[in-house]
Amino acid sequence: MKLDKCIYIVGDLGHLKVYKVVDTLAESRHETMQVSHINNKGVQKKATSLKKVMELDYILPRKNEQELQSDQMGRFLSGSTASTGEEHNLKIERDQKTLELIAQDIKKVIAKERPSVWYLSFSKKMYGKLNGMLDEDIKKTLKKTLPLNLTKTPKDELLSHFA
């Protein structure tokens, strides 16, 4: 698999991390020991690694509902008892707004980096909604998607999940 100009994006509702594939030359220590002492240059091998391009944190989903509401809830009379009103699905609205921000950030990254192909991993619960928010022209270069939260996975192990 040719990884030149590839982008890996992993995220959930709180984080988005963008990695770029970087090819580096590394010296093999094992094979260096076998090289003559006179010509001790070692053996150069091509290694593929990921370089973090961007990391974004989304604060809105982490706030609890009390932090987002005013100090006092409104009270409405309903017959003979007082009611605190409806919650109006605040969490659903908050998640929707955050997903829209994440989709916009993904579009910006793909437009800026112009990868030949890119890979996406997003938490299983919101994966379908986010995938639906991405434009079709961006999805043309989307090679593989995973409904997994890999935000805490070390970058050295990320490539193995997409293989």
Side-chain angles (χ1 to χ4, degrees):
M1 164 170 65
K2 187 174 179 174
L3 298 174
D4 192 27
K5 287 190 125 184
C6 290
I7 298 287
Y8 287 82
I9 300 175
V10 296
D12 61 10
L13 274 179
H15 307 284
L16 191 70
K17 295 179 182 181
V18 180
Y19 297 96
K20 189 178 203 175
V21 174
V22 178
D23 291 330
T24 57
L25 288 175
E27 189 174 297
S28 174
R29 290 183 177 180
H30 176 70
E31 294 180 20
T32 301
M33 302 298 262
Q34 297 172 0
V35 176
S36 135
H37 294 296
I38 298 169
N39 194 11
N40 193 8
K41 294 181 182 175
V43 177
Q44 297 285 326
K45 289 193 171 186
K46 191 175 182 181
T48 301
S49 63
L50 293 176
K51 176 185 173 191
K52 191 182 295 184
V53 176
M54 180 187 311
E55 182 173 0
L56 299 170
D57 288 327
Y58 299 92
I59 298 171
L60 189 61
R62 290 195 225 154
K63 290 188 175 185
N64 64 26
E65 291 180 24
Q66 291 176 351
E67 291 175 349
L68 296 172
Q69 296 174 350
S70 65
D71 291 341
Q72 285 216 325
M73 294 178 75
R75 293 206 173 255
F76 306 99
L77 292 177
S78 64
S80 62
T81 61
S83 169
T84 58
E86 298 177 32
E87 294 209 7
H88 296 288
N89 298 321
L90 185 62
K91 182 174 177 10
I92 294 171
E93 287 180 28
R94 186 174 49 192
D95 291 350
Q96 183 69 24
K97 286 181 183 178
T98 304
L99 276 177
E100 289 171 4
L101 287 173
I102 291 170
Q104 288 174 4
D105 288 337
I106 289 173
K107 291 174 193 175
K108 288 177 188 175
V109 167
I110 299 303
K112 179 183 175 192
E113 297 292 332
R114 295 185 193 168
S116 55
V117 293
W118 63 286
Y119 300 83
L120 175 65
S121 169
F122 204 78
S123 62
K124 188 174 186 176
K125 187 177 178 184
M126 297 293 169
Y127 164 78
K129 289 181 181 179
L130 177 66
N131 201 17
M133 291 180 182
L134 297 175
D135 297 336
E136 290 302 318
D137 58 328
I138 289 177
K139 287 184 185 179
K140 288 178 184 175
T141 56
L142 179 59
K143 178 114 178 178
K144 188 173 187 179
T145 59
L146 296 175
L148 296 171
N149 183 354
L150 298 175
T151 55
K152 294 184 181 178
T153 304
K155 67 180 182 177
D156 300 338
E157 298 174 17
L158 279 178
L159 290 175
S160 65
H161 287 279
F162 290 96

